[in-house]
Amino acid sequence: MIKYIKIRKYVRGEEIMRKKILLLGYMRKNLGDDLFIAILLNRYKNIDFIVRTNDKKDLQPFKMYKNLKVVPQEGSLSEFNMDGYDACVYIGGSVMMELKRGLMLQQNINAFIENSKKPFFYISSNFGPYKTQEFYDECAKTFKMIDGVTFRDEYSYNEFKQYDSVGYAPDLVFGLNMKKKKTIKDSIGISLIDLSLPARGEKFNSLDSSYCNMLKNNISDFIKQGKTIYLFSYCDYEGDCNTIEKVLKLLSEEDKKHVKVVKYTGKPGNLYDFIRKYSSMEKMICTRFHGLVLSLVFRQELMVISYSKKLERMLEKVPEEFKYIEIDENIGELKIKLDWFKAIKEESLEPLSKNSVNQFKKFEEKMGLKIKQKGFKIKKAPLKKRIKRKLKAIKKKIIKK
C-alpha cells in the first residue's frame, strides 16, 4: 500500500504557515462573480480561502482549486469567530446595493468588522444604487473601519474618496489573460437578463413582455440578413434561462434553426469553456455587465442594451462612443441596426487591462504579498474531460455524415 506523506516547507527551521482568509462573495453560479473568485484562487495559490456555506453545490465551479475550503454556516456573519484567520476578503461587483435587506446586511458586516478586529477588504466592487441617507452613512462607516475597498467605477470612488481605505481600479475581468477563439463568421451573441424577477422592481417587471418581443423581432430580422444568433445565459438563478425560453417560444420553428443557446452551468471547467465560446462571437448585444467587459476584452463589435447605470459609467472610461440603449417604456419598438456595432481600439483597452491588477494593491500591501503574475488566468476543464468531449464531438460528426 502506498502511503502519502504531507510535506511541509521550512525556512531556517521554521515552518511556513499558509495564510487563512475568510472569503465572502455572491456564489450563485453567476458567471461574473465566479470569474472573480476563480481569478482570486488562481492568483493566490498559497493562501487558503475559507467559505461559510451549508450548500457545497454553489462551490462546484471551483472544484479544481485546492485552496478553497468550506466551514459550516452557523449563525450570522457578525457572530463568526475569526481566531486563526488572517483577514477577510469580500470580492464581488454590486455588493453594496440598498435592496430590501441592504441596510441590514451592511449593518451585519459592520458588526462583524468591529468584532473580528482583522483586516477587511472589498475587491472590484461598486456602490449603489441607494435610496436613503441611512444606508449611505452605514457604508461610509464601513469604509472608515476597513483596510481597503477598491471600487471598479469612479462614481463610487468619488462618493467616498475622502477615506484612506478607498481606491479605484478597472474591473478585475479587464486583466483576464485568455486566448480568443476563432471568430464565427456572421454570428451575433446576446447576453440578456430576466426583467420579471421581483428584485428588478415594478418598472422593469412591467417591461418584460416588451423586452422579450423586442428580442424576438430583432433576432428574426438578423436571421433574414444571414446571421446566426447565440443566446448567452450568465446566471440561471437570476432567470437568464427563463428569458431565453420565453424568447424561443416567440420565434418561428424556422427561425429557431438559426438560434443556439449557450448556458453557464457552473460545472468544473465550464467557466473557461463559456468564456472561450463567448470570445468567438463576431458581434455582441451586451446587457450583462460582464458581457460588456468581456466584449471589450476580446475587442468584439458591440452595442449595449442596459438596465443599470453601472454599464454607462464603465463606458465613460473609454474614448469610443458605443451605441447605448436604456431599457424603458419604448424598448418594444427598438430596431437594432448592424452599423451600430463597434469595437474598442487596442490603445483604449490597454490602460484598462494594465491597471486592473491594482484591484489587489491594497490587499497585497497590507498582507505583505508580492505576486509577479501578469494578467489573470483561470483553469481549463480537466484533461480527461476535454479528451472525452473531443471524442464526443468527433463521434457526432461521424454520425451526421
Side-chain angles (χ1 to χ4, degrees), residues 135-311:
F135 180 78
Y136 185 98
D137 293 342
E138 197 64 34
C139 290
K141 181 182 176 182
T142 306
F143 307 143
K144 288 177 186 176
M145 294 190 290
I146 65 176
D147 296 83
V149 51
T150 308
F151 289 119
R152 63 181 181 179
D153 67 316
E154 290 190 333
Y155 163 78
S156 300
Y157 170 73
N158 288 330
E159 285 291 316
F160 300 102
K161 63 183 178 182
Q162 65 269 32
Y163 302 114
D164 293 338
S165 66
V166 175
Y168 161 77
D171 186 274
L172 266 185
V173 177
F174 277 113
L176 186 64
N177 184 2
M178 184 185 288
K179 190 176 179 181
K180 176 180 166 65
K181 198 173 182 181
K182 185 179 177 181
T183 300
I184 299 172
K185 192 175 180 345
D186 292 324
S187 59
I188 298 180
I190 305 174
S191 71
L192 35 68
I193 61 165
D194 185 359
L195 293 182
S196 69
L197 281 182
R200 303 280 184 219
E202 290 182 13
K203 174 193 169 184
F204 286 131
N205 293 166
S206 65
L207 298 174
D208 182 61
S209 179
S210 296
Y211 173 68
C212 290
N213 274 293
M214 177 276 295
L215 289 174
K216 175 259 179 186
N217 291 336
N218 282 283
I219 287 169
S220 294
D221 288 345
F222 290 144
I223 290 169
K224 287 172 186 174
Q225 297 173 70
K227 307 298 181 184
T228 301
I229 311 302
Y230 292 76
L231 303 179
F232 287 87
S233 168
Y234 269 57
C235 182
D236 192 19
Y237 179 79
E238 294 183 359
D240 291 20
C241 288
N242 182 42
T243 297
I244 288 173
E245 287 172 11
K246 285 186 280 191
V247 172
L248 289 175
K249 284 180 182 178
L250 295 171
L251 291 169
S252 68
E253 292 303 317
E254 183 58 35
D255 280 351
K256 286 178 188 177
K257 295 176 184 177
H258 303 277
V259 177
K260 301 181 187 298
V261 176
V262 185
K263 297 180 182 180
Y264 173 59
T265 64
K267 291 180 181 178
N270 181 242
L271 182 62
Y272 183 93
D273 293 341
F274 182 98
I275 294 171
R276 281 270 287 164
K277 187 68 176 181
Y278 191 94
S279 74
S280 68
M281 295 294 101
E282 188 173 71
K283 293 178 169 59
M284 278 299 312
I285 298 170
C286 306
T287 298
R288 280 282 182 182
F289 180 84
H290 279 112
L292 173 55
V293 176
L294 287 171
S295 287
L296 291 170
V297 167
F298 294 120
R299 296 187 62 204
Q300 295 168 322
E301 295 178 26
L302 68 92
M303 64 151 299
V304 177
I305 298 177
S306 174
Y307 71 103
S308 172
K309 285 289 183 185
K310 64 185 178 181
L311 284 89

Side-chain angles (χ1 to χ4, degrees), residues 17-244:
M17 300 297 291
R18 289 172 67 93
K19 292 187 186 298
K20 186 178 175 183
I21 292 178
L22 182 67
L23 178 61
L24 305 179
Y26 182 74
M27 298 174 195
R28 296 286 189 179
K29 294 183 180 176
N30 176 44
L31 184 119
D33 290 279
D34 286 358
L35 185 49
F36 279 170
I37 295 169
I39 287 170
L40 183 78
L41 296 175
N42 197 71
R43 185 172 176 82
Y44 305 107
K45 297 181 181 74
N46 295 323
I47 293 178
D48 286 330
F49 291 93
I50 318 299
V51 174
R52 299 168 66 242
T53 183
N54 294 324
D55 187 358
K56 293 183 181 180
K57 289 179 183 177
D58 291 331
L59 303 182
Q60 193 180 26
F62 320 110
K63 197 174 180 180
M64 298 180 296
Y65 295 90
K66 304 303 180 186
N67 55 335
L68 185 69
K69 316 293 181 182
V70 178
V71 294
Q73 185 170 344
E74 298 172 350
S76 68
L77 175 65
S78 61
E79 299 167 341
F80 186 74
N81 185 356
M82 284 288 285
D83 290 347
Y85 287 79
D86 296 283
C88 178
V89 165
Y90 197 152
I91 190 165
S94 301
V95 295
M96 285 172 265
M97 297 188 296
E98 190 175 11
L99 301 174
K100 288 183 179 179
R101 298 170 63 242
L103 178 61
M104 185 190 73
L105 290 171
Q106 204 62 38
Q107 289 170 337
N108 195 31
I109 285 172
N110 284 343
F112 166 74
I113 294 167
E114 290 173 332
N115 294 337
S116 74
K117 304 289 192 292
K118 295 292 175 78
F120 188 104
F121 305 89
Y122 280 102
I123 293 174
S124 208
S125 305
N126 55 265
F127 168 76
Y130 77 101
K131 295 178 181 178
T132 67
Q133 187 64 38
E134 187 179 11
F135 180 78
Y136 185 98
D137 293 342
E138 197 64 34
C139 290
K141 181 182 176 182
T142 306
F143 307 143
K144 288 177 186 176
M145 294 190 290
I146 65 176
D147 296 83
V149 51
T150 308
F151 289 119
R152 63 181 181 179
D153 67 316
E154 290 190 333
Y155 163 78
S156 300
Y157 170 73
N158 288 330
E159 285 291 316
F160 300 102
K161 63 183 178 182
Q162 65 269 32
Y163 302 114
D164 293 338
S165 66
V166 175
Y168 161 77
D171 186 274
L172 266 185
V173 177
F174 277 113
L176 186 64
N177 184 2
M178 184 185 288
K179 190 176 179 181
K180 176 180 166 65
K181 198 173 182 181
K182 185 179 177 181
T183 300
I184 299 172
K185 192 175 180 345
D186 292 324
S187 59
I188 298 180
I190 305 174
S191 71
L192 35 68
I193 61 165
D194 185 359
L195 293 182
S196 69
L197 281 182
R200 303 280 184 219
E202 290 182 13
K203 174 193 169 184
F204 286 131
N205 293 166
S206 65
L207 298 174
D208 182 61
S209 179
S210 296
Y211 173 68
C212 290
N213 274 293
M214 177 276 295
L215 289 174
K216 175 259 179 186
N217 291 336
N218 282 283
I219 287 169
S220 294
D221 288 345
F222 290 144
I223 290 169
K224 287 172 186 174
Q225 297 173 70
K227 307 298 181 184
T228 301
I229 311 302
Y230 292 76
L231 303 179
F232 287 87
S233 168
Y234 269 57
C235 182
D236 192 19
Y237 179 79
E238 294 183 359
D240 291 20
C241 288
N242 182 42
T243 297
I244 288 173

